[in-house]
């Protein structure tokens, strides 16, 4: 497909469009796997090839250069770590925008800067490339089960064109507005999670200190007014002492900083977000950057 809008091929047609997928970490691996299982030819790139081995075993093709991946793909999806990575991957000399085919679609699913999303959109538009920012929420579980919430910014026609692909990875997929709107929506998501995680950890620490059975406490409060995704999915991990990453502390700190910077630009005070960021900064200083966000519980556990 060299130009025009992406469309899902009918069963009678002999192939499906090729998808380039950059970033096969905790979540990206599962997301790319769903595309493969649906029948799409998938080309993968990751800085560490070993993190793509599962996908290669399923039939994905490895490409060692982003420029080469871009030239071969009809749709390119990125799921990487930081805005600096996104900028280099898309706007660098050997990046996607300089090498993707005219008429192709680029979808950044990284949580990144709204202003960078707009910059990528404008650069892509100048080259006849369709660009969407589409960050996700749902963690490793949502990625594994294809139940991600996907927040999209960009042109409606482009959103509708790639909806068949997005629907292979998520169930709650909403066009939020123009370029950058998806990233702004993800900031709203992260602001809610930041303060909520403090509440979840404090509740679990309180239950333990009061001599209650934490599992039974969860039975009572997780389906009531206090219910949240973090309470249902991460509190059990806290109780079990499981701090493996569904979402890394280092990436959450990055997200909170983006949200704080964006809020500051808009003149908005976010004291809850500032407190959460300071607590996670403490965790990072203690060496917990590579743990899951539920490791915040350790700050309360250490109180004795």
């Amino acid at each position: 497909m060299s130009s025009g809008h992406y469309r899902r091929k009918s069963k009678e047609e002999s192939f499906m469009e090729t998808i380039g997928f950059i970033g096969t970490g905790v979540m990206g691996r599962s997301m790319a796997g769903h595309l493969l299982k649906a029948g799409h030819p998938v080309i993968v790139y990751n800085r560490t090839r070993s993190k793509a081995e599962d996908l290669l075993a399923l039939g994905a093709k490895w490409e060692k250069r982003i420029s080469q991946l871009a030239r071969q793909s009809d749709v390119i999806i990125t799921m990487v770590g930081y805005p600096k990575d996104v900028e280099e991957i898309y706007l660098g000399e050997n990046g996607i925008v300089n090498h993707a085919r005219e008429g192709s679609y680029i979808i950044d699913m990284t949580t990144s800067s709204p202003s960078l999303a707009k910059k990528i959109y404008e650069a892509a538009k100048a080259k006849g490339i369709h660009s969407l920012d589409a960050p996700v929420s749902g963690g490793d579980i949502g990625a594994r089960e294809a139940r991600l919430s996907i927040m999209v910014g960009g042109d409606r026609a482009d959103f509708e064109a790639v909806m068949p692909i997005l629907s292979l990875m998520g169930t709650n997929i909403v066009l939020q507005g123009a370029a950058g709107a998806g990233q702004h929506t993800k900031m709203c998501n992260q602001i809610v999670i930041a303060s909520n995680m403090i509440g979840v950890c404090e509740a679990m620490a309180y239950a333990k200190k009061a001599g209650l059975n934490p599992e039974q406490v969860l039975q009572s409060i997780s389906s009531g007014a206090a219910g949240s995704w973090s309470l249902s999915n991460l509190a059990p991990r806290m109780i079990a002492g499981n701090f493996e990453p569904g979402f890394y502390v280092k990436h959450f700190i990055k997200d909170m900083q983006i949200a704080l910077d964006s809020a500051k630009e808009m003149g908005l005070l976010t004291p809850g977000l500032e407190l959460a960021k300071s607590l996670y900064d403490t965790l990072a200083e203690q060496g917990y950057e590579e743990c899951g966000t539920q490791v915040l519980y350790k700050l309360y556990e250490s109180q004795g």
Side-chain angles (χ1 to χ4, degrees), residues 1 65 72 89 128 144 170 177 233 235 243:
M1 181 175 68
R65 292 186 181 87
Q72 299 173 63
I89 286 168
R144 192 163 57 246
N233 291 279
F243 302 113

Side-chain angles (χ1 to χ4, degrees), residues 52-93:
E53 289 297 341
D54 291 351
L55 294 169
L56 300 181
L58 289 172
K61 175 186 173 184
W62 173 258
E63 182 51 70
K64 62 183 179 181
R65 292 186 181 87
I66 290 172
S67 57
Q68 286 297 104
L69 177 148
R71 291 187 189 110
Q72 299 173 63
S73 304
D74 301 306
V75 179
I76 303 163
I77 297 172
T78 52
M79 186 68 172
V80 295
Y82 298 88
K84 61 181 173 58
D85 301 318
V86 172
E87 185 159 19
E88 179 61 27
I89 286 168
Y90 278 94
L91 302 177
E93 183 180 345

Side-chain angles (χ1 to χ4, degrees), residues 26-27 30-31 34 37 138-148 167-171 229 233 237:
V26 173
M27 294 177 67
S30 293
M31 294 160 69
H34 296 310
K37 289 170 187 174
D140 58 330
I141 297 171
R144 192 163 57 246
E145 298 179 357
R147 292 190 294 102
L148 290 170
S167 65
L168 295 173
M169 298 177 285
T171 53
W229 190 95
N233 291 279
R237 296 190 196 186

Side-chain angles (χ1 to χ4, degrees), residues 222-266:
S222 60
S223 61
S228 70
W229 190 95
S230 295
L231 188 66
S232 296
N233 291 279
L234 297 182
R237 296 190 196 186
M238 295 174 191
I239 294 167
N242 175 3
F243 302 113
E244 289 298 308
F247 187 60
Y248 289 104
V249 164
K250 63 183 180 181
H251 291 157
F252 195 33
I253 289 172
K254 173 262 298 183
D255 292 356
M256 288 188 283
Q257 189 60 58
I258 293 171
L260 285 168
D261 291 343
S262 296
K264 185 176 180 181
E265 288 172 11
M266 296 184 288

Side-chain angles (χ1 to χ4, degrees), residues 172-212:
N172 180 22
I173 307 165
V174 180
L175 179 65
Q176 294 290 340
Q183 297 295 355
H184 275 306
T185 304
K186 182 61 186 288
M187 291 304 104
C188 295
N189 185 84
Q190 300 306 74
I191 290 168
V192 170
I193 289 174
S195 294
N196 183 236
M197 281 295 289
I198 295 173
V200 171
C201 291
E202 289 183 358
M204 293 300 96
Y206 183 99
K208 184 177 178 181
K209 200 77 170 176
L212 301 172

